[in-house]
Amino acid sequence: MSDPSVTTDYSARDSRIAINTFTTVLRRPQVPHEVFATYWRDVHGPLCSRIPGLGWYVQMHLDRAQDAHLWPAIDGIAPFDDYVLDGGVEIGFASAADQEIFNAACPILFADEQNMFAATVAYALPQGSRTLVDRIANPVPNGGESIDRLHVHFGIGDTDAAGFAGFMTQFAETLAADPAVLKLRLHLPERYDNADPAPPAPDVAHTVPPEREQVAILEFAFETPMTRRRFFASDRFTATIDGQKAHIGHVAAFAVSGVYTYVRDGELTVAGLRGSRPAQLIERLGAANQVQDDVRKLLLTGAL
């Protein structure tokens, strides 16, 4: 469980990741959700974690059963049509050279996507993403939490790409200054190109409609849903509504059911080494022997 702090801002720790991608994922409808979530966490997750070059790997699972107040409805900003997701993924790198190493080894990973994903769309962030505030002490969450997390996806409105990016940056900075916001991370990816689908995983869909080609994504955390609801009614938020109408065309909000960290600063977490659920068991039982260097070496190399 995370430990929200009212005084310490840990956002600087994310700056080590210079380049990343944000990938939206949709499960295959024939795969039951619990099977999908387990496979993603404990089979696909450790496989991805071992790809060389990786500096950062976080799965964020989304809950389709959302509450009614995830994001305020604003006149003139339409919901994305038929937009359902089961998760989001951040994969990041300390350098472009590390990203090239990862990309060269990725066919082994992409071959696994068809087992659980119906669609994945990797938005490129060659300049990285930006954490504006993070008052959550735990740098490697692995599970559901008592705090209230959500992702909000925005599509460009009646403005150009530069105007959209400028507004979204100012918008994020304004909201992050509010003490009710425990965490706010901004993703401003390049425009997605259906002619160059990413990731190139076989038998998985990788195309988006025009309104989802140029997007921005905000990751929020609040102490509780009630805190979130009061924040939306605040003067700080309502003062941004005219700007939202001028620059945003579409919006969709998704509730986060769990955050699972597999690689941080180029190092495997216990979840990355063993799988998310085994890591939870190790933590719960205080099995310190399972995280010692000799065990890690055995599991990674097959030798002591």
Side-chain angles (χ1 to χ4, degrees):
M1 182 177 296
S2 295
D3 177 23
S5 167
V6 296
T7 57
T8 305
D9 182 1
Y10 301 94
S11 57
R13 66 189 172 195
D14 294 346
S15 62
R16 300 184 186 98
I17 299 304
I19 302 166
N20 69 331
T21 61
F22 189 98
T23 301
T24 60
V25 307
L26 178 69
R27 68 175 171 85
R28 288 192 176 275
Q30 302 91 339
V31 179
H33 184 271
E34 186 58 31
V35 175
F36 156 79
T38 301
Y39 190 94
W40 189 19
R41 286 173 61 182
D42 296 328
V43 180
H44 188 80
L47 174 64
C48 181
S49 301
R50 287 163 169 76
I51 304 294
L54 191 58
W56 163 268
Y57 173 38
V58 183
Q59 294 180 4
M60 293 158 283
H61 291 223
L62 303 178
D63 189 346
R64 295 193 186 189
Q66 303 171 6
D67 73 52
H69 307 293
L70 281 179
W71 192 257
I74 296 174
D75 289 342
I77 301 178
F80 287 104
D81 290 334
D82 192 28
Y83 197 24
V84 178
L85 294 175
D86 292 292
V89 184
E90 273 203 68
I91 290 180
F93 310 93
S95 68
D98 285 347
Q99 186 177 29
E100 287 300 316
I101 292 169
F102 177 86
N103 289 343
C106 264
I108 193 173
L109 176 67
F110 296 153
D112 189 51
E113 288 199 358
Q114 62 191 301
N115 292 321
M116 62 197 153
F117 295 141
T120 58
V121 176
Y123 291 95
L125 292 133
Q127 306 303 316
S129 299
R130 180 182 173 195
T131 302
L132 291 94
V133 65
D134 186 358
R135 289 192 282 269
I136 301 171
N138 182 9
V140 289
N142 179 40
E145 300 169 300
S146 61
I147 60 175
D148 176 61
R149 291 184 185 261
L150 70 153
H151 291 181
V152 189
H153 294 212
F154 302 89
I156 192 169
D158 188 17
T159 187
D160 59 17
F164 179 64
F167 171 75
M168 290 305 305
T169 299
Q170 182 184 43
F171 182 46
E173 290 172 348
T174 298
L175 301 188
D178 195 292
V181 178
L182 295 180
K183 180 176 181 179
L184 198 158
R185 182 159 168 81
L186 169 65
H187 308 280
L188 277 174
E190 294 182 330
R191 179 179 288 274
Y192 188 79
D193 183 1
N194 285 326
D196 185 22
D203 299 318
V204 180
H206 307 297
T207 59
V208 300
E211 64 269 20
R212 284 168 46 201
E213 292 178 356
Q214 186 77 62
V215 300
I217 299 163
L218 292 180
E219 295 179 37
F220 286 97
F222 298 92
E223 186 175 1
T224 68
M226 187 63 75
T227 307
R228 168 179 21 108
R229 187 80 187 280
R230 289 170 177 155
F231 170 73
F232 293 150
S234 69
D235 291 343
R236 186 186 300 272
F237 184 85
T238 57
T240 69
I241 289 176
D242 286 344
Q244 291 186 59
K245 291 180 178 181
H247 295 281
I248 297 169
H250 293 82
V251 66
F254 303 92
V256 177
S257 60
V259 178
Y260 309 94
T261 310
Y262 295 82
V263 178
R264 176 101 200 188
D265 296 330
E267 298 290 333
L268 284 172
T269 66
V270 180
L273 181 69
R274 305 297 294 274
S276 172
R277 284 174 173 82
Q280 289 176 330
L281 288 173
I282 290 166
E283 180 72 21
R284 179 175 180 178
L285 295 178
N289 62 296
Q290 292 283 352
V291 297
Q292 291 178 350
D293 289 344
D294 55 350
V295 173
R296 294 179 69 92
K297 181 180 178 183
L298 177 64
L299 290 168
L300 289 171
T301 67
L304 290 172

